[in-house]
Amino acid sequence: MAWDEWEHLKTEATARQSAEMRLNQLPPGGGGGGGNQDLVVRQDDLGAVGHEAFVLYDQLGRQADIAGAGADDSGSGSTMRAGAELKACHFAMGPELENTVSVWTAQVRTVLQACAHISNHLDYSVKEYAKEDEAIGAVLRDRSGAAVPVSRLNEYFT
């Protein structure tokens, strides 16, 4: 690829990015999504995502354990035993295989922690949003006793 072609591609990418990517700001013309839209959090949606995170946690924990797969009486998995045997025979592959298992295990644990965090946080959020909705609903009523929609709250600040 010629240098001029590279510069041209960079310029095009920069132009596309500035037109498409708007982080931490509103689009030109203002407005966040329409004047009469309420912020709605459905506990069912949060619960479904939290449940899927839990299911992923469970499946990943059982199926991605290569360190413990084929474990013997001492708890050493078949992959780690193979690495140890290769290392004992002075094959360079042995330590690399053991390192691969260690790195894989650390990464799986990280993903498991993330899944557990997501599941727990969403379970907590569902409960907290329900409490907040109940408290706000008890306080914010119009003259007829009906709940005031969030989109009308701005009227009370003018």
Side-chain angles (χ1 to χ4, degrees):
M1 175 183 302
W3 184 258
D4 293 336
E5 184 181 2
W6 173 251
E7 288 298 323
H8 177 72
L9 290 173
K10 283 183 6 182
T11 304
E12 283 181 358
T14 302
R16 275 195 316 271
Q17 184 179 20
S18 65
E20 295 174 0
M21 186 179 284
R22 300 186 194 291
L23 298 177
N24 298 327
Q25 66 183 22
L26 293 174
N36 293 328
Q37 293 183 345
D38 290 339
L39 172 64
V40 177
V41 176
R42 290 185 173 74
Q43 282 80 5
D44 291 346
D45 295 338
L46 294 176
V49 173
H51 176 71
E52 289 301 318
F54 177 76
V55 168
L56 178 60
Y57 175 88
D58 186 48
Q59 288 177 344
L60 188 64
R62 283 186 283 113
Q63 297 175 358
D65 181 20
I66 64 171
D72 60 6
D73 293 338
S74 68
S76 181
S78 59
T79 307
M80 287 299 277
R81 287 195 316 268
E85 288 180 32
L86 288 168
K87 186 166 63 172
C89 294
H90 306 290
F91 283 99
M93 179 73 164
E96 296 302 324
L97 187 56
E98 291 176 336
N99 186 46
T100 300
V101 172
S102 298
V103 170
W104 174 261
T105 301
Q107 290 179 344
V108 167
R109 285 184 183 146
T110 301
V111 173
L112 287 172
Q113 288 174 347
C115 290
H117 180 73
I118 290 167
S119 178
N120 291 341
H121 181 72
L122 291 176
D123 287 345
Y124 173 80
S125 295
V126 166
K127 293 173 188 168
E128 285 302 304
Y129 284 136
K131 287 180 196 174
E132 288 178 19
D133 284 348
E134 186 177 320
I136 291 170
V139 173
L140 291 175
R141 302 275 178 200
D142 63 12
R143 291 182 191 139
S144 68
V148 175
V150 175
S151 60
R152 287 193 41 220
L153 288 178
N154 230 9
E155 296 172 14
Y156 295 94
F157 297 113
T158 57

